[in-house]
Amino acid sequence: MPLDLPVDLQPPRVVVDDEALGETAARVAAQPASAPGVTEERQIEPARLAKAGLIREPDSRVSEEFRIVQNRVLRQSFGDASAISSGVKNIVMITSALKGEGKSFVSLNLAGEIARQGDRRVLLIDVDPKPNSLSRILGVASARGLLDLARDVRLDVTEIVIPTAAEGLDIAPVGQNDGRSGEVFASRRMGQIIEEIGRRYADRLIILDAPPCLASSTPHALAPVCGQAVLVVAANNTQQSDIEAALDLLQACPHVSLLLNKVAPWMTHSFGTYSYLAAEA
């Protein structure tokens, strides 16, 4: 039977050793913590953002509910609004148990709503090399991205970050997939790179759009370097056994929350739930 979960349900907190995973790459750490930039003039335009499902109506019900979600995420990452937290606490991984639950829609709109608020910049990183990835929908599938950064020691993170027409929101594409992306994402180097991105841009929120837990090893591999994870659950669809299996794979992340998605508009309003409006991701 489908499991209907409250959005604030959380698994037991797991205490992990957040000692650095290893000596960090000097080419990343040595760079100043300025706003991400690019080496050429390019920008993801509004039409592309709309095609990917970014909601632009600030007074809509969905936008209001994303504000509730964003407040919880920001409190977990930064604590007091006036404080700046360093390290991996500002890295949030968005994933799901299965494909089609809406995790890319959540990733993009959570990032967009936080950027729209204006208090913090957001870097949304695509770590899901699926054929219909967020990078492809945004028109940057051929651009250098995270996979290229992991393979090429000469490449700097600023060279893969692409600004968008949404003020305060930048995108880092997944990069070129040579069929071995699973090995790259599971590598120690990838964990170090993502951790260093979080430390370098400690004043902004880093959101990882990760593949589903039961379809890829990437969420399990990246869980230790993330400050928190959000598991997107499709209402009246995802089975309890799938959710439990996904949560088990995320145990290394110190804080995991569930977000109920695809709730019909006519149903009783629930905290932090919303109707899914974009193409399935």
Side-chain angles (χ1 to χ4, degrees):
M1 295 292 292
L3 180 67
D4 195 2
L5 289 173
V7 72
D8 56 351
L9 177 64
Q10 297 178 2
R13 185 179 180 86
V14 179
V15 178
V16 297
D17 180 8
D18 67 345
E19 182 180 355
L21 293 179
E23 191 171 312
T24 57
R27 63 182 178 79
V28 175
Q31 296 294 324
S34 58
V38 290
T39 57
E40 58 186 75
E41 289 298 324
R42 52 178 177 168
Q43 184 185 70
I44 297 175
E45 299 301 327
R48 287 286 187 178
L49 294 170
K51 182 179 179 181
L54 182 65
I55 298 169
R56 300 298 297 169
E57 296 78 22
D59 297 326
S60 68
R61 175 188 172 220
V62 182
S63 294
E64 290 290 351
E65 290 179 343
F66 266 115
R67 290 187 191 107
I68 297 174
V69 176
Q70 80 171 36
N71 288 337
R72 298 184 66 182
V73 169
L74 288 172
R75 282 198 301 270
Q76 183 64 32
S77 290
F78 299 100
D80 180 76
S82 63
I84 294 179
S85 175
S86 61
V88 299
K89 287 185 67 177
N90 62 326
I91 300 177
V92 182
M93 179 167 60
I94 311 294
T95 184
S96 58
L98 306 169
K99 67 178 182 178
E101 300 198 68
K103 53 88 182 172
S104 292
F105 175 77
V106 170
S107 299
L108 179 61
N109 280 281
L110 180 60
E113 194 58 47
I114 292 174
R116 182 186 299 158
Q117 180 177 290
D119 292 336
R120 294 191 184 277
R121 294 187 67 89
V122 182
L123 175 59
L124 174 57
I125 305 177
D126 185 4
V127 297
D128 188 356
K130 63 185 178 182
N132 61 331
S133 66
L134 188 61
S135 296
R136 184 167 300 279
I137 298 173
L138 291 173
V140 292
S142 62
R144 290 180 297 183
L146 195 62
L147 289 170
D148 304 286
L149 186 64
R151 296 187 187 105
D152 188 352
V153 296
R154 299 166 299 176
L155 195 61
D156 184 74
V157 64
T158 58
E159 298 177 69
I160 72 167
V161 175
I162 304 175
T164 74
E167 186 175 356
L169 174 61
D170 301 303
I171 302 289
V174 66
Q176 302 307 302
N177 181 12
D178 61 0
R180 299 177 59 251
S181 62
E183 297 175 16
V184 177
F185 279 120
S187 68
R188 180 184 178 90
R189 176 171 171 77
M190 180 61 78
Q192 290 176 337
I193 287 174
I194 290 179
E195 185 176 12
E196 275 309 308
I197 289 174
R199 293 187 185 281
R200 177 172 175 178
Y201 302 121
D203 60 340
R204 69 199 64 195
L205 193 70
I206 312 297
I207 295 180
L208 309 180
D209 178 25
C213 292
L214 303 186
S216 170
S217 61
T218 297
H220 172 71
L222 298 183
V225 300
C226 297
Q228 61 179 308
V230 176
L231 183 69
V232 178
V233 177
N236 300 311
N237 182 65
T238 311
Q239 303 296 315
Q240 179 175 355
S241 59
D242 292 331
I243 296 172
E244 292 173 346
L247 291 175
D248 185 61
L249 292 170
L250 296 174
Q251 284 188 33
C253 184
H255 187 90
V256 182
S257 300
L258 304 186
L259 192 152
L260 191 62
N261 190 22
K262 297 191 177 183
V263 177
W266 46 264
M267 293 179 64
T268 303
H269 290 277
S270 301
F271 172 78
T273 62
Y274 58 91
S275 174
Y276 185 51
L277 302 178
E280 290 191 355

